[in-house]
Amino acid sequence: MIEFSHVYKTYPGPVHALKNVDLRIDQGEFVFLTGPSGAGKTTLFKMISAYDTATSGDVKVAGYDLLSIRNSQIPFFRRKIGVVFQDFKLLKDKTIFENVALPLQIRGDKNPAIHRRVHEVLEQVGLGHKHDQYPEFISGGEQQRTAIARAIIHQPGVLIADEPTGNLDPRLSEEIMDLLERVCAQGTTVFVATHDHEMVKRRNKRTLTLRDGIITGDTK
Ligand code: ADP
Ligand code: ADP
């Protein structure tokens, strides 16, 4: 589902953010990515989402070869993945319903189908009763659940989450991780970057460690 071979990413400076990264994550796996600040985690996620391109090497995600992908194909590729951020990135002037519906509206789905699917996903994340609220008036945990709903609304094969619990207290963090595990159990590949070593230990999942742009660990 995600395959990197000999991937390098160099920013101007030069900063060698990724150095000869090889990794393979299969369909339906749940994997953590850990490593100190500046290790290259966000860079690796940007390579996966085609938000930026590798300097060299091969990146294959959800059946697309991101080295040779045409710009015109990128919107189709993006439908295969979902992205969740630490700071939620919800639109303040739109309701929970409208935030979650957005990817389907952009894709051109018809309204009745959008309504059905948004309500289904809001139930799944436990927010069915909040659909008319605005993001500022719900808790941080609820905002992150809204962001996850938006990220999975189009049933992506891969969900990447960059520090999804970084702004949440321990109890809400556990709720969010439970939700991500349920998303994975339904067949989505889930890849989560986190600093929270205690949580990683408790969850007992495959864990990749990045240090200074190099994968230094791949353990369960
Ligand atoms: P992490 O997410 O693990 O904190 P990043 O992927 O954000 O690490 O950063 C890896 C390295 O690349 C750091 O040294 C960072 O300063 C550098 N970096 C990230 N983005 C850029 C950029 N756009 N231009 C230059 N250097 C960058
Ligand atoms: P920064 O140096 O702050 O990361 P960038 O220009 O690299 O600046 O990123 C711009 C915005 O895109 C940031 O808010 C960043 O969080 C967001 N972003 C980071 N990773 C991804 C991703 N994988 N897909 C889409 N947007 C991303």
Side-chain angles (χ1 to χ4, degrees), residues 11-12 15 17 35-44 46 162 210:
Y11 293 112
V15 177
S37 188
K41 302 183 296 298
T42 299
T43 299
L44 192 129
K46 285 179 178 171
D162 197 352
L210 255 185

Side-chain angles (χ1 to χ4, degrees), residues 21 39 41 44 51 60 63 65 72 97 107 113 118 120 134 142-143 147 153-154 164 172 196 199 201 209:
V21 170
K41 302 183 296 298
L44 192 129
Y51 181 80
K60 294 196 177 89
D65 184 340
S72 61
F97 181 96
R107 189 168 84 177
V118 173
E120 183 179 270
Y134 286 86
E142 289 170 339
Q143 290 184 51
I153 186 82
H154 56 301
L172 291 177
D196 189 341
M199 176 162 69
K201 254 190 243 160
T209 308

